Amino acid sequence: MLRASLIGGIAVYVAPLGSQAFASLFEQRLLTRPDWGATDGVLKYRIDGTSKVIGAKVFARDLRARDMPHWPQQQSHALVLRTTRADRIYAGFDLSLLGDDLKPDRVVTAADLTRDGLAFPDFYGEDTLLPEGKTPAYLGQAVAILVFHDFVRFRFAKEKLQFNDAVIRYGASTGPLQRDPWGTSRFVRVGGNTPYDDDVFSCLKDGPISPGYEKHEPVWPAPARDGELGARGMYHATAIGDELAQPPAEWVVLKRRYATQSGDTAALEPDNANGWYDSDKQELHLVVPTQSPQEVAKGAATMLQSSRIGLKRLFLYPCFTVGYGAKDSCSMPYYGLIAAVYGGSRPVRLANDRFEQFQAGLKRHQLSMDYTVAIERRTGLLQSLRAGIVANGGGRKNVSDLLIKVGATSLGSAYYFPKTDVTATAIASRAVDAGSARGYGALETMTATELMMDDIAGELGLDPIEFRLRNVLKTGMRNTQGAIPTGVLRAEAVLEKARAHALWSGRGARKQAFDADHPGKYYGVGFGCIQWRFGNGAEASLAKVELAPDGRIMVSNSGAEIGTGLSSGQAVACVRWLGRPADAVELAVTDWSDLPVETSGDPRAMSQADQDRLAENPRWSPAYASASSASNSSYYLSHTTREAARIVYVHGLLPAALAIWTRDAPAGSRVPSIEDARWRDGSLTVEGLEPLPLVRLVREAHARGLVVGAAVHGFNRWRWAEADFVVNNVAVHAPVDALSVRYGEGGDVSKPGALQGRYHVLDRQAVIFPPTQNYHAMVGYCTAAGTLAELVVDAASGKVTLLSHHTILDCGTMLVPDLVSGQIQGGTATGIGLALHEHMPLYEDGPGNGTWNFNRYHLPRGSDVAAWTQTAEILQPLSESEPPKGMAEATVIPIMSAIVNGIAHAIGHRFRTLPVTPDQILAVLG
């Protein structure tokens, strides 16, 4: 059932959810065949919806050894001991309180890992189990894994160990570790005479500026007009700073400081792993929730290959999960691997409870932001922006260096700034390590930008939306990196709709009436608007679309389902070309032996010369497969599914249809034009000719040996790679960089793979990869979103109550409208929580001490989110061929600034630190 790929000499087998192999391990029919309304073109329900509602085991956390038919049936359990201090030397642990009855069956420490050569992938840093004699790098750092072979002893032992400060021993006080920042970058732009002209200097044209470090502080190059990149950039940065310090008389200069909180990603499936190491066969089986199964497969195999643990085969079972960034570049799969290796040939389950998840799960970066903005008073046009951004990355680097770049390069959002100088630093600290939480740095900087837009409008005496419209970034304009965002920008349309909405146009009169009728309560309406980038600038995806002889459509994709509805979206992505959704969807696929693709180097850092040289290999691409993150599923991951379906349609179904129509047409009738063909009610139609159902076309394609399956690989660096191929002697140019096709089994037996149905890997004739310089654009594809929030502030309690909110969204062509609605609702709820409720201290009083849970961390409830009065409006696509846009994160951000701006409208005070709590409001109201 499974085919293996070799990584470091280890055979790696993956059973993705939806595959026959996965179904044989668990219940059959986990997923429901899509119920497609052919008339209205709407998917009636999620294909994973039924299994989730009835509690079928699709989440990794639900699985035990007894659910795996070929595993030993007795489940062992493990827990991790963690430090709660990071200012003293770690001096070991004391398990004497467990006595002989509850002592663990196996204790794993750093000494075991060193002896056996087991080290986590380099990305995860040093001391994944801290050795004695060192100061913890961060609160909650792991020191040991305890394995118990029965649940009862595990449960009683955990109750004795948890919240007990006497278990971990400490030595001399050292103070927290002092380290260089995880990353610092500077982005300087001096635009041309107009927003459409070439830049004098910019990130895209010249590059970002990097510093050296002295005493853990960045040291920038000395300014020089004609020097190296860094010197020239600092020359222009200095000029921008001097101009802001001594501005022209017609300028208004505002300086503001903003701060956002450290937060929990609050994915309701805590991190977990379940593994079994069969020492006799030297096989490791690992069940994990992950946003990136490719990364886990490679990392686990590489980790074991370089160790003294004998391993021949690795079996990975990635399941549906809930991510929000918490399971992207997450260390739990590797801790689960270690627990399994030392489990005595028994399956070992390692699963955080909620206290442990708060202590060890990836956190949202806390950001502090200083903005200085200049505006021309007469015109109300933005002139210059200088910003300093500091993100707290915690005790491990994780993605902090990349995240802070995204935050810095996204802060321009929907507006045009002629000059910008933005410095971004991710500091190392003793806080719990922070990762790619939903919003990825841009959430914080865009929120600050939106708060400042209202602040500036008030200073100028302008309507806040009118001020935004004067400065909105339009199609063809250059962003803060000097790049022209791809496609048509629609922030202006969002702003116009918001300005005309009744919530906004009548807000003054409603406030006056409400405040008069409700003494002690203050009414307000606020607005926020963003232009959100989706994707990370180096996206890659693989997909396969196959037509079975009986007409069934099967889709495979490298993306993982993390709760966003990817499984349903991939089923629907076929509709345009195949007339209906896929019958079966296989996700998190890592075995692509039908489409061998090689990759090397870093697509974010490689030179153009290196890319040109490597591209001479017809199997090479700059990147292999992306994690499910950065709102990438609807556009990037669906692109390859759509392209595979298009190849099958153009080179399989259309020729089959033309053959039938030509064969069956009456003598003298016109020759059908395939350009006129359209799908209607499940049949391919051309006016005046017989409608052809899909199953009939598929049988004809199989019989004629036409293309009935296609596997493709795509790479995007703010533009798709394009390549030329030859399919059935027909030249094909497609926005993919690798292609493999399968021919019908009834065709020419001389055709490669015809009889066995194997795939024929096509050598590309030519390829155009996006220039390496494109990565410096940082922002390419954009989604515009705006939100109006109507609220009331209670003067007695300081509580903010949302009365209603309205979201306006540009998301291209929707794949599944109900999923878009759900993402708007969920994203808005996330933003409400961050604006008003969610917060935790960074250090000793924070979650690293192991005592935090939802009793202390306020997630928004139904009563907090105006559940029954929220509305949304989706901008119509610009054409029927417009692709879907990533939007899951876009709806989180504007509600945050809308609420804070609404509070300012209500009580006349502008808050700049999130969340805005009742205590802060009461302090202002006195």
Side-chain angles (χ1 to χ4, degrees), residues 227-281:
E228 298 294 329
L229 164 65
R232 286 186 289 114
M234 289 306 301
Y235 169 83
H236 293 291
T238 301
I240 290 172
D242 291 344
E243 190 174 37
L244 286 169
Q246 300 290 329
E250 64 271 19
W251 281 17
V252 177
V253 178
L254 274 70
K255 296 182 179 181
R256 299 291 185 262
R257 170 166 287 188
Y258 302 95
T260 57
Q261 69 270 57
S262 168
D264 196 77
T265 52
L268 294 183
E269 182 199 18
D271 294 345
N272 63 93
N274 200 347
W276 169 45
Y277 176 63
D278 185 340
S279 57
D280 292 335
K281 295 182 179 179

Side-chain angles (χ1 to χ4, degrees), residues 508-526:
R510 278 198 311 280
K511 176 173 175 56
Q512 186 176 8
F514 185 97
D515 291 358
D517 293 341
H518 302 81
K521 296 183 184 295
Y522 301 97
Y523 176 91
V525 174

Side-chain angles (χ1 to χ4, degrees), residues 316 795 916:
L316 185 69
V916 180

Side-chain angles (χ1 to χ4, degrees), residues 617-754:
N617 175 358
R619 299 285 182 266
W620 181 84
S621 181
Y624 187 71
S626 298
S628 291
S629 62
S631 294
N632 64 1
S633 63
S634 62
Y635 180 73
Y636 297 97
L637 304 187
S638 297
H639 171 83
T640 47
T641 298
R642 289 193 302 271
E643 284 304 309
R646 186 177 69 85
I647 294 292
V648 171
Y649 174 75
V650 172
H651 299 280
L653 298 183
L654 271 180
L658 191 60
I660 295 172
W661 282 326
T662 303
R663 182 183 66 211
D664 298 347
S669 61
R670 73 179 183 88
V671 176
S673 171
I674 59 175
E675 287 79 12
D676 297 332
R678 294 290 185 275
W679 290 103
R680 291 189 179 88
D681 298 328
S683 295
L684 194 64
T685 64
V686 168
E687 186 177 352
L689 296 174
E690 174 192 7
L692 301 176
L694 176 64
V695 66
R696 184 177 176 188
L697 291 172
V698 172
R699 284 198 299 264
E700 186 77 15
H702 270 275
R704 290 180 171 272
L706 300 171
V707 173
V708 294
V712 305
H713 180 271
F715 171 73
N716 187 294
R717 193 188 282 118
W718 304 127
R719 199 183 80 195
W720 288 107
E722 302 176 33
D724 294 325
F725 305 91
V726 176
V727 180
N728 266 348
N729 298 318
V730 176
V732 174
H733 183 80
V736 299
D737 59 21
L739 172 62
S740 178
V741 296
R742 177 181 177 183
Y743 299 101
E745 298 179 20
D748 183 357
V749 295
S750 66
K751 192 164 293 181

Side-chain angles (χ1 to χ4, degrees), residues 80-96:
V80 178
L81 294 182
R82 297 181 180 276
T83 63
T84 56
R85 304 198 65 165
D87 60 351
R88 300 186 180 203
I89 290 175
Y90 164 62
F93 53 85
D94 181 3
L95 301 181
S96 61

Side-chain angles (χ1 to χ4, degrees), residues 183-201:
T184 303
S185 297
R186 195 162 190 160
F187 305 90
V188 178
R189 175 175 178 263
V190 177
N193 293 327
T194 77
Y196 305 94
D197 290 334
D198 289 339
D199 292 326
V200 175
F201 185 93

